[in-house]
Amino acid sequence: MATPVVIATGNAHKAEEIQALLGPDFACRTLADFPDAPEVEETARTLAGNAALKALSLVNWLKQNEDWNEGWVLADDSGLEVDALDGAPGVRSARYAATDSHAGNTPDQKNNAKLLHELSGQRKHHRAARFRCVIALARAGQYGKPEIFHGVCEGQIIEEPRGENGFGYDPLFQPEGHEQTFGELGESVKSQNSHRADALRKLKDWLVAR
Ligand code: ITT
């Protein structure tokens, strides 16, 4: 029987990628299946801190409101790190274009436009960047510390968006070893090479080894 996993995300693209990467041995639900679960404010200073916050708050909510004790709760906090911008947008990737530091997520298009603006005039060799993904995995129904898995994908930021696939900064990110962006390359390449794939490979190895 497939292992139940509740993914603590409101980002449908991210959820789809995680479901595809985990494969048929895992039966995934997302926050879309629990519309009353509260939104978690991402107040931590690191991706790992925010991933743990999102996972543990959903464990608590599911236990108290749905009497949910089955399987795992998984949260992904991810972002883009650009060398020429001292690691920005980093932990603020989802709200990079916001002017108010407490504002919620800003649209991908605005975040991408701000990134290009900040990098204008920077030559190719100054546009090195990487996606990072941190996944927190907690046992449903238990309040213990979650297991943390890190994934990374190196690449560079191109000068104008290309491609319609994926989400977020994908049309601007050219992974190492490719001439096209994740926006152009599509799921089959992203599911092998991405920061999320890297973190989820480690998670699956950990589940098999325990
Ligand atoms: P949840 O917190 O509900 O999971 P979110 O979109 O707010 O969804 P994060 O706080 O982890 O997720 O922010 C991640 C942001 O980083 C995301 O909105 C994108 O802008 C960017 N990002 C992360 N992974 C990405 C990917 O695979 N491709 C493109 N952009 C990505």
Side-chain angles (χ1 to χ4, degrees):
M1 207 183 73
T3 307
V5 177
V6 187
I7 309 172
T9 186
N11 179 328
H13 293 284
K14 204 194 251 191
E16 267 173 35
E17 287 187 13
I18 295 171
Q19 285 174 352
L21 287 162
L22 283 176
D25 291 344
F26 297 86
C28 295
R29 287 178 173 77
T30 72
L31 291 182
D33 299 298
F34 302 99
D36 295 333
E39 207 175 302
V40 175
E41 228 191 304
E42 296 184 18
T43 51
R45 279 200 248 148
T46 61
L47 298 178
N50 282 329
L53 265 180
K54 290 191 270 192
L56 291 180
S57 104
L58 186 57
V59 167
N60 290 349
W61 187 87
L62 286 171
K63 189 172 172 66
Q64 284 165 18
N65 296 275
E66 303 277 337
D67 196 23
W68 189 280
N69 300 303
E70 242 191 305
W72 300 94
V73 173
L74 180 161
D76 162 319
D77 206 56
S78 41
L80 177 73
E81 219 175 71
V82 181
D83 289 349
L85 303 177
D86 292 331
V91 72
R92 289 185 45 78
S93 292
R95 48 190 187 282
Y96 188 41
T99 44
D100 171 351
S101 61
H102 297 292
N105 287 4
T106 40
D108 290 342
Q109 239 183 331
K110 287 200 168 161
N111 294 332
N112 286 352
K114 176 169 178 183
L115 181 63
L116 287 181
H117 177 74
E118 297 290 326
L119 283 176
S120 56
Q122 297 278 9
R123 294 275 175 81
K124 190 174 171 184
H125 57 284
H126 284 137
R127 298 174 80 101
R130 68 206 52 76
F131 274 127
R132 286 193 190 280
C133 171
V134 180
I135 291 189
L137 185 72
R139 266 239 171 254
Q142 293 180 17
Y143 295 118
K145 219 170 140 207
E147 239 6 88
I148 301 285
F149 304 91
H150 295 259
V152 68
C153 176
E154 297 286 342
Q156 61 165 304
I157 304 301
I158 59 159
E159 290 182 18
E160 55 188 42
R162 291 200 318 246
E164 305 289 324
N165 297 302
F167 69 99
Y169 299 93
D170 280 343
L172 292 178
F173 186 83
Q174 189 175 300
E176 232 169 54
H178 292 269
E179 292 301 318
Q180 292 174 300
T181 66
F182 269 151
E184 295 171 296
L185 288 163
E187 259 334 282
S188 60
V189 174
K190 195 174 179 194
S191 66
Q192 294 298 312
N193 293 7
S194 81
H195 48 313
R196 193 157 291 112
D198 188 25
L200 282 166
R201 259 191 294 271
K202 293 171 188 168
L203 181 153
K204 284 169 95 173
D205 287 349
W206 181 84
L207 281 175
V208 168
R210 52 187 284 284

